[in-house]
Amino acid sequence: DIQRVGDYRLTPTGRDEAARLRREERELATDVALGLGLPELLRPWMTEGQRRAIADPLRALRLALDEGHPSSAVGAAKDLAEATCKVVLEGAGQPASLSGSLPSLFKQAFAVVEPTAELDASLGRSLGAAAQALAEMRNTAGAGHGRAAAIEVLDRHARLAASAACAIACFVLDGHERPRS
């Protein structure tokens, strides 16, 4: 790290350049975690309200990852997964509980997308476990709950939460759009 050099005086320009390089590195890690297909989560069939419901946590997730706020990223990742499940449920005419947990919302959305093969079912069960872990991570360390002491959330945890949320979102959206036989 360039700021750890003890025998040298850093200039404001040098500090700015080091900050720029660290920001670019974080942004690249964000792109890797989320994939470059983020706009693909916003589908043509969605209402404007549904698009905003997904775009807002996506924006918050990207910002939190880019700015190096892992606790906020974990919270935004859970928000994204929840919003996507609710959009799919709404699109299928199923009521989504406003107070439902992420695992129960995912289970409802998964039932709506009607897995057609054992692979779908197997992936769905795995993503259900990921939804449970994401909810637990958010409750333990994510932004949104007041705490007596801060809990350390590493960047890698935040990127994993982001990847899990995007996988959940893609899976239920793709299943919702699959032509029915």
Side-chain angles (χ1 to χ4, degrees):
D1 187 9
I2 196 164
Q3 291 187 353
R4 291 190 197 152
V5 179
D7 296 334
Y8 299 97
R9 176 174 265 203
L10 292 176
T11 65
T13 303
R15 255 190 289 289
D16 290 346
E17 179 65 11
R20 183 187 66 76
L21 291 172
R22 281 192 300 277
R23 186 183 68 250
E24 285 179 1
E25 188 174 303
R26 276 194 315 271
E27 289 171 355
L28 179 61
T30 298
D31 290 341
V32 168
L34 298 178
L36 298 177
L38 288 180
E40 294 174 19
L41 294 180
L42 304 178
R43 307 299 167 92
W45 55 264
M46 291 178 180
T47 66
E48 187 56 36
Q50 290 170 332
R51 290 168 80 65
R52 275 195 320 273
I54 291 176
D56 289 349
L58 260 176
R59 195 175 336 356
L61 180 56
R62 176 170 287 286
L63 182 64
L65 289 170
D66 284 349
E67 297 295 321
H69 301 290
S71 291
S72 295
V74 170
K78 182 176 177 262
D79 290 347
L80 173 63
E82 285 177 340
T84 306
C85 288
K86 288 178 180 181
V87 164
V88 166
L89 289 169
E90 184 179 282
Q94 300 285 327
S97 169
L98 294 177
S99 61
S101 67
L102 175 57
S104 66
L105 287 169
F106 177 78
K107 189 174 184 177
Q108 283 181 280
F110 182 60
V112 165
V113 300
E114 302 172 14
T116 58
E118 180 54 34
L119 185 56
D120 277 351
S122 176
L123 286 170
R125 286 190 296 275
S126 296
L127 286 173
Q132 177 68 40
L134 183 57
E136 290 171 4
M137 180 187 279
R138 181 351 190 111
N139 291 337
T140 301
H145 291 293
R147 304 193 193 302
I151 296 172
E152 182 180 17
V153 179
L154 301 176
D155 285 340
R156 69 186 182 96
H157 299 140
R159 289 190 306 272
L160 182 58
S163 296
C166 287
I168 289 166
C170 287
F171 185 79
V172 297
L173 287 170
D174 289 347
H176 179 67
E177 293 173 338
R178 186 184 67 245
R180 307 283 186 234
S181 38

